Amino acid sequence: MSVFDLLQRPAGKATIAHRIEAVLREDILHGTLAPGSRLNLDSLRTQMDVGLSPLREAVTRLVAEGLIEVAAQKGYTVAPISLANLNEVSALRVELEPYALRKSIENGGLDWEADVMGALHRLNKTDRIPGDPGSLSEWESANNAFHLTLIKRCDMPLLLKIHHSLVSMNDRYRHIYLKAVRIQREVIEEHTAIAEAAVARQADRAASLLTGHIERSTNNLRHLIAAALPKDAS
């Protein structure tokens, strides 16, 4: 979807700044805006045919999300990628996400259970086809929705905000390096086991399975990235 398509949507649906933010996020997550590249706001403003004020607002939000960095005298740059950053993102998810899941199991009712199993069904019915950007995005969206549904009843807005930022940073590695990887059966089995343990109120098992899932996924991604990154980027 182009920025033109987004900007032509009815004004009530979202502000122009939110639409610009969505386009920039998509370009960053998929590597169209390369990690470490400088962002010239005047050039972006001309390219997108938007005002400087909503563009700055969109960029500021992405700075808060960790996808763009800003430094005095240097302006804005797309956040670089590295194994160290991936490891930090994974370590934080391993600490926060299972904790949030435990809280969701405590707080969630039947509606939450139904939402979890519904998100699992959607995810397991969504294929990820190598070389098909549409299917890749659809699967990643379903995957993120599943993980969020698991923890949403932690009822801790700050934790959920931090989690959203971590997922966005993790997604960039996934979008760039998993383009040629099809979903494996073990991923479906892991998601199913986590969901079933969660709705069965088996908090220890669910948290342990989620931890192992995050660690295994990161380890697989780490091997792909290590082979592609320059030596000094690790």
Side-chain angles (χ1 to χ4, degrees), residues 17 20 41-42 51-62 76:
I20 297 170
L41 296 193
D42 286 332
L52 188 57
S53 179
L55 177 59
R56 284 188 181 278
E57 183 180 343
V59 169
T60 298
R61 290 174 183 162
L62 293 173
Y76 297 98

Side-chain angles (χ1 to χ4, degrees), residues 2 4-5 9 39 74 103 117 128 135 138 188 194 210 213 226 228:
S2 70
F4 179 80
D5 294 328
R9 289 183 175 182
L39 297 178
K74 293 184 178 180
K103 290 297 182 181
M117 299 312 293
R128 188 173 74 191
S135 76
E138 186 177 353
I188 296 175
I194 294 166
L210 180 57
H213 172 66

Side-chain angles (χ1 to χ4, degrees), residues 17-18 20-29 56-70 76-80 85 89 92 144 160-173 175:
H18 275 99
I20 297 170
E21 178 189 354
V23 171
L24 291 176
R25 179 187 289 106
E26 187 81 358
D27 286 347
I28 292 172
L29 293 183
R56 284 188 181 278
E57 183 180 343
V59 169
T60 298
R61 290 174 183 162
L62 293 173
V63 169
E65 201 170 313
L67 294 178
I68 292 177
E69 295 181 349
V70 59
Y76 297 98
T77 60
V78 178
N85 176 258
V89 170
L92 289 170
N144 288 345
L160 291 175
K161 182 178 180 180
I162 295 170
H163 177 262
H164 173 74
S165 179
L166 292 172
V167 168
S168 291
M169 288 185 276
N170 186 76
D171 278 353
R172 188 160 59 131
Y173 292 95
H175 283 302

